[in-house]
Amino acid sequence: METCAPINMPSDNSRLRFAPSPTGALHIGGARTALYNWLAARHDGGELVLRIEDTDRERSTEENVAQILDAMRWLELDWDVGPVSQAERADRHAEALRRLLDSGHAYRDHATGKEVEAWKAEHGAGRGYRGTPTEDPTAAIRLRVPGEGETVVHDLIRGPVAFPNASYDDFVIARADGSVLYNFAVAVDDAEMGITEVVRGDDHLSNTPKQLLVLEALGQEPPRYAHLPLLHGPDGKKLSKRHGAASVQELRAAGYLPAAVRNYLALLGWGTDDDTTLMSTEELVRRFRVADVGKSAAIFDEKKLRWLNGRFMREMPLDEYTAAVARHLGREADERLRAACGIAQEKAQTLEEVWALIRFLFEPPVSDEKAWGKVMKEGTGPVLEAVAEALEPVEPFEPARIEAALAPLLDRFGLKPGKLYQPIRVAITGTSISPGIFESLAALGRERSLERIRAAAERLPPA
RNA sequence: GCCGCUAUCGUCUAGGGGACUAGGACGCCGGAUUCUCAGUCCGGAAACCGGGGUUCGAAUCCCCGUAGCGGUACCA
């Protein structure tokens, strides 16, 4: 019979960890793992430990650690303990190693990789290597793996997965110099740090039996495991630079909002049963359950992220929007920028796209010859002169008044709206894409608008 | 090679023996909004990897293929 803990008990019993290795920037897959751990921890009031898996001293760097922390902060994923450097726990690892050596669960063996290969060639494929113990203190240390039986990973997502022990080598847990290896360090740390749930990438599933074996040898209770399906690029291959924004800092540079990225990443491998797509972070926390995560690998599709980001952008209060744009552009969030954001908000899908829409308010018109050639046809000069004249007395210089002042020109020149408004747009912005024309004129102000319209008219042949 | 995992529209997914004429979202295509672009609204095309079982009935359960992916380091 199973018993349930009272649900209103402060659940300080769950403890998760996100444990990246600082061998590069945090990419999207790592970010999703971090997010899922964070959501799982926040969902039931558990704790999140950030542990830096830096036992590979060759590839781990300070810069990468800094980059990971920076990415976590940008994503607004906080942690309760750490960052803890795994390398700095070397004495704990050494102690565990000592115990295993003393109890006979581990032994020294100086077989090289080639010797292991030779052993396998002799003993048949599918047989894990079993070494010969030596007293030589400079030999590497291997864990003694049972020759038979199986080790079962009770995965929260996949259910029980059994691995035959015989297929595993007596794997090396510490190098000749005494430094420990990943599968050993992880098992020891997870146990000693009281981790109750390990949520990580699928690539670790086959490693889990090794960690379970270490834990068993140590007499430690294992945590519960959940292995997330991997993320791939649009071509179905492993995510890489070629796939566009692959790291968290690239996502930021591309102008995505942290909240949108969290929403999108949450949906990559996990979904709700009622088809909800747009979710605030609070809702994500409330609804997320590790056990509901899917089993198959997902492909990162930037198009959907863009759409989602656009939705978040449009729903932001103007002040918040202006602040985000200012931060992204490295500008002051002043009144001028706020006004510019006001007319551009509904049109941009990323922060990066905002500048192209509002640039004309801060700098002289760009020179887009193609747009000019397409729009500034014969006879446009006089039209623009008339536009300037019509705009001159508009007071106050507001969108509705401007529209009212310009509308009569349509009949007077017998023009379709596009033939009147596009030239004005090109005149004041230099290009053919901008926020609404009346709003744009109003934001630019009468003086500058007239100046630009007249300057454009002068470039055109007179009537 | 050996050990594992996975398989629904192009993509993310819902579905867990009968409610499936397989639902939603992105993207795509068409239309509307007679200022561009975007947005918004309406409509459309688009999938159960293959083969065997089990069952009255299978997208759903089982087996075998196939494909993709992961692990197999004195990397993490």
Side-chain angles (χ1 to χ4, degrees):
Chain A
M1 197 65 204
E2 299 201 358
T3 54
C4 282
I7 48 170
N8 55 355
M9 215 180 170
S11 50
D12 53 331
N13 43 12
S14 108
R15 197 171 224 232
L16 294 98
R17 72 347 178 249
F18 173 54
S21 64
T23 53
L26 187 64
H27 58 95
I28 293 163
R32 190 194 53 162
T33 302
L35 174 68
Y36 282 22
N37 272 287
W38 183 84
L39 287 174
R42 296 299 171 250
H43 177 78
D44 58 20
E47 275 188 313
L48 182 63
V49 176
L50 177 61
R51 190 175 69 215
I52 305 298
E53 226 91 306
D54 54 359
T55 53
D56 181 348
R57 289 142 310 179
E58 307 273 286
R59 298 194 296 158
S60 303
T61 69
E62 275 310 310
E63 296 74 63
N64 288 332
V65 172
Q67 221 177 142
I68 289 169
L69 298 186
D70 173 57
M72 292 284 287
R73 290 194 192 100
W74 180 74
L75 283 167
E76 296 163 327
L77 301 180
D78 57 343
W79 55 90
D80 307 295
V81 180
V84 177
S85 157
Q86 191 164 53
E88 283 171 18
R89 292 176 45 83
D91 47 340
R92 311 285 308 180
H93 301 144
E95 192 189 313
L97 210 49
R98 188 73 258 156
R99 272 164 53 205
L100 254 29
L101 241 19
D102 288 347
S103 66
H105 283 102
Y107 62 94
R108 292 187 185 278
D109 175 27
H110 42 226
T112 60
K114 284 195 177 53
E115 286 166 340
V116 169
E117 244 175 71
W119 188 96
K120 288 190 177 182
E122 190 184 325
H123 291 76
R127 290 266 109 184
Y129 170 76
R130 297 294 180 267
T132 317
T134 172
E135 290 306 311
D136 183 356
T138 65
I141 299 172
R142 291 179 184 272
L143 186 81
R144 219 180 271 286
V145 175
E148 39 197 54
E150 52 187 22
T151 297
V152 180
V153 179
H154 292 278
D155 195 89
L156 258 21
I157 294 170
R158 291 157 213 287
V161 183
F163 297 83
N165 291 328
S167 68
Y168 284 93
D169 291 340
D170 276 0
F171 56 99
V172 175
I173 54 177
R175 300 180 179 95
D177 66 3
S179 61
V180 298
L181 259 20
Y182 174 76
N183 284 119
F184 179 75
V186 167
V188 171
D189 289 347
D190 284 341
E192 293 195 0
M193 297 173 112
I195 302 301
T196 60
E197 250 142 339
V198 172
V199 178
R200 69 207 335 179
D202 208 1
D203 49 339
H204 290 289
L205 182 58
S206 308
N207 280 325
T208 307
K210 295 183 187 175
Q211 296 171 26
L212 250 15
L213 256 10
V214 168
L215 256 14
E216 200 180 317
L218 248 17
Q220 298 268 23
E221 199 60 34
R224 303 209 292 169
Y225 295 95
H227 288 93
L228 308 172
L230 261 20
L231 250 34
H232 293 152
D235 53 3
K237 297 260 159 53
K238 228 174 122 159
L239 224 33
S240 73
K241 294 269 185 291
R242 295 182 300 109
H243 299 121
S247 73
V248 173
Q249 7 286 327
E250 282 168 331
L251 248 26
R252 169 170 53 193
Y256 292 111
L257 265 13
V261 172
R262 288 193 297 268
N263 191 159
Y264 177 71
L265 252 23
L267 255 18
L268 229 42
W270 170 81
T272 61
D273 52 8
D274 63 358
D275 295 325
T276 305
T277 300
L278 269 163
M279 279 174 277
S280 67
T281 298
E282 294 68 45
E283 194 167 5
L284 250 22
V285 167
R286 187 162 53 72
R287 303 178 71 147
F288 184 82
R289 271 185 194 77
V290 172
D292 294 338
V293 173
K295 297 184 177 107
S296 53
I299 290 174
F300 173 73
D301 174 24
E302 200 170 341
K303 294 231 181 76
K304 191 160 185 175
L305 207 210
R306 286 184 66 81
W307 169 78
L308 212 45
N309 201 71
R311 295 291 303 248
F312 275 83
M313 297 251 296
R314 268 170 265 126
E315 280 167 16
M316 270 195 236
L318 186 55
D319 284 334
E320 202 182 304
Y321 186 91
T322 305
V325 170
R327 219 174 303 123
H328 188 78
L329 297 179
R331 288 188 154 269
E332 197 70 24
D334 53 17
E335 246 335 288
R336 206 165 150 217
L337 186 67
R338 190 185 138 96
C341 285
I343 66 171
Q345 179 166 13
E346 62 183 24
K347 309 181 88 69
Q349 290 201 290
T350 65
L351 294 173
E352 187 65 15
E353 286 173 3
V354 176
W355 180 240
L357 291 167
I358 63 173
R359 177 179 182 158
F360 76 99
L361 294 171
F362 300 87
E363 294 179 357
V366 295
S367 77
D368 178 346
E369 291 310 323
K370 241 179 100 186
W372 182 280
K374 192 168 177 195
V375 170
M376 301 306 207
K377 301 287 195 203
E378 282 260 0
T380 312
V383 173
L384 286 178
E385 299 281 6
V387 165
E389 208 172 298
L391 252 22
E392 187 96 60
V394 174
E395 186 61 45
F397 203 64
E398 287 171 354
R401 304 278 183 147
I402 292 169
E403 180 169 13
L406 257 23
L409 299 182
L410 257 22
D411 282 343
R412 196 166 116 204
F413 288 94
L415 292 172
K416 288 219 215 108
K419 295 286 182 215
L420 173 63
Y421 300 129
Q422 274 305 78
I424 301 175
R425 175 168 280 116
V426 171
I428 65 169
T429 71
T431 186
S432 58
I433 296 172
S434 83
I437 194 64
F438 312 119
E439 289 75 13
S440 292
L441 284 164
L444 227 208
R446 190 200 328 265
E447 300 316 317
R448 288 193 295 166
S449 294
L450 292 179
E451 208 175 280
R452 292 182 188 189
I453 290 167
R454 285 182 171 135
E458 273 172 34
R459 280 182 62 186
L460 262 7

